[in-house]
Amino acid sequence: LIIHKEAMKCDIPMKLSLEAKSLMTWVTDTILPALNRLVRQEADDNPLRDLDLSSILSAASPSLNRNSSSPTVGNLGDTSFISARGSLNIFEDKSKFVSTRAAAITSMSSILCTFAEWLSVRFVGDSFAMDQISTWCKLLKCSDSVVRKTLLQLFFHIAITSLKNEGDPALLQEVLSSMKNVDPCLTEIETISYAMASVISLRDARILKAAITTIVDLTRIIVLDVEEEGESGIASSLLDKVGSCMRKVIECVLSEKQSSLILAKCLVHETKPSSVRECLLREVELRSPKTDALDKVLLKWEAENITADPANDDNKSEISI
């Protein structure tokens, strides 16, 4: 309903209505903290704790690998749930842990579906919406795999939509950053694979470069954090240091010709050498599909290493003597 109401105004870019902003603020102020509290509660003795709710959205959720269909929603312009019932908050009722948790998860999912559809419309520009959704990404840090499995695909869908329409990788970075310390289940790994397959299949080289640059920058941040905290041994490879989620992301980039070529070019063109740069280029050399274009870039990198190798200079000195 919100999409149609805004579209009828023929305003480009479309903007969020006051009702939509009220709904997003309600999610940030009510559902987000409620879910965080519920996740922290001890409920190990509850047999329904690990109930997988993600399949509930299978017919209505925007998908990463098929055309999305609009979810059926009520009148989102009705803000009575905020004003008239301001004193009643079912998410505060700790005596109904299972139903409250399920209500919080499904409410967040339903609202994300609605805004995923809204943001899929071209020429939509509203920083308020993206700022709020970026805040919601913090839910992906939680230890509750049901919360993550239910919401991860929706967050990726919105992030990739923003990347395609606006060329902005900020939300993609927020999603990946939120997952950096997570031990993902198989479903989450599959979701990451599908999402990254959508990213690396982008035909616009400029947008793909922006996404890959973001991945490289985030990789540096994660490796630096790990090394500063001393959580990884000296012998650990780069892919071991970045965690399971970022490992899958990097492996997807390395698996395709265009994305691995753009990655190699970005790394070789960097002005300052670094251990992350060298390790990533080594992974490109070992794992990426071989092409003439990639070989040229790697030859440039190898020549750079030969020139900068002090041992090579010592050998030349010995020969001259």
Side-chain angles (χ1 to χ4, degrees):
L1 177 61
I2 290 174
I3 297 174
H4 291 304
K5 285 174 63 177
E6 296 302 320
M8 289 295 291
K9 297 177 182 177
C10 298
D11 292 336
I12 297 177
M14 289 168 56
K15 296 292 183 180
L16 280 175
S17 64
L18 290 176
E19 292 88 350
K21 287 186 176 181
S22 295
L23 178 60
M24 297 194 85
T25 302
W26 178 74
V27 171
T28 302
D29 295 343
T30 306
I31 296 185
L32 190 63
L35 263 177
N36 283 326
R37 284 195 299 272
L38 290 169
V39 168
R40 289 194 297 268
Q41 289 182 20
E42 293 293 335
D44 293 336
D45 57 341
N46 194 321
L48 298 179
R49 174 175 172 77
D50 295 321
L51 178 64
D52 187 356
L53 301 174
S54 58
S55 60
I56 295 174
L57 300 171
S58 59
S61 301
S63 174
L64 294 168
N65 57 0
R66 64 177 187 272
N67 292 329
S68 59
S69 57
S70 299
T72 302
V73 296
N75 181 7
L76 297 181
D78 178 12
T79 57
S80 59
F81 63 90
I82 298 175
S83 54
R85 289 177 241 169
S87 61
L88 178 61
N89 185 354
I90 63 167
F91 301 114
E92 298 288 353
D93 188 353
K94 297 180 181 179
S95 65
K96 300 178 180 179
F97 178 84
V98 177
S99 60
T100 302
R101 175 170 166 273
I105 295 172
T106 51
S107 295
M108 176 64 82
S109 302
S110 177
I111 292 166
L112 276 173
C113 278
T114 303
F115 283 101
E117 292 290 335
W118 190 83
L119 292 166
S120 294
V121 180
R122 298 283 295 185
F123 306 113
V124 170
D126 200 307
S127 59
F128 178 87
M130 300 310 294
D131 289 345
Q132 294 295 309
I133 293 172
S134 180
T135 301
W136 301 349
C137 286
K138 291 180 175 60
L139 284 172
L140 298 175
K141 298 180 181 181
C142 75
S143 59
D144 192 331
S145 63
V146 175
V147 173
R148 298 196 311 266
K149 284 190 294 184
T150 306
L151 303 180
L152 182 59
Q153 186 176 12
L154 291 165
F155 280 124
F156 265 129
H157 175 88
I158 296 171
I160 293 171
T161 298
S162 176
L163 182 65
K164 289 179 178 178
N165 289 358
E166 309 295 335
D168 185 0
L171 189 58
L172 177 63
Q173 180 173 1
E174 190 65 38
V175 172
L176 297 178
S177 179
S178 297
M179 295 285 289
K180 66 181 181 181
N181 295 321
V182 168
D183 184 16
C185 65
L186 179 59
T187 301
E188 291 169 288
I189 289 293
E190 290 175 346
T191 299
I192 292 171
S193 296
Y194 285 133
M196 290 310 302
S198 295
V199 172
I200 64 178
S201 65
L202 293 174
R203 299 302 178 191
D204 190 322
R206 179 185 58 84
I207 293 177
L208 181 55
K209 181 181 178 181
I212 290 174
T213 301
T214 295
I215 291 169
V216 172
D217 291 342
L218 183 56
T219 299
R220 282 201 181 88
I221 293 171
I222 295 174
V223 170
L224 180 62
D225 289 344
V226 170
E227 291 178 346
E228 286 182 347
E229 294 173 8
E231 295 180 358
S232 181
I234 298 175
S236 299
S237 69
L238 177 108
L239 294 184
D240 291 330
K241 291 180 180 180
V242 296
S244 301
C245 293
M246 279 303 294
R247 181 189 182 99
K248 175 54 66 175
V249 169
I250 294 171
E251 286 176 344
C252 289
V253 173
L254 294 172
S255 67
E256 201 271 335
K257 293 179 181 179
Q258 183 186 19
S259 57
S260 56
L261 176 60
I262 291 176
L263 173 61
K265 286 181 176 179
C266 290
L267 293 169
V268 168
H269 290 161
E270 288 182 357
T271 56
K272 294 183 179 180
S274 67
S275 59
V276 170
R277 173 182 183 263
E278 297 304 306
C279 289
L280 283 174
L281 282 168
R282 200 170 298 119
E283 294 294 339
V284 171
E285 185 178 40
L286 294 173
R287 295 169 177 263
S288 298
K290 303 305 178 191
T291 64
D292 292 341
L294 181 60
D295 287 342
K296 289 180 181 178
V297 176
L298 293 176
L299 282 173
K300 183 178 180 180
W301 168 57
E302 291 169 0
E304 171 191 300
N305 287 340
I306 292 173
T307 304
D309 188 356
N312 186 62
D313 293 339
D314 291 342
N315 291 336
K316 288 181 179 179
S317 298
E318 290 175 5
I319 292 172
S320 62
I321 291 172

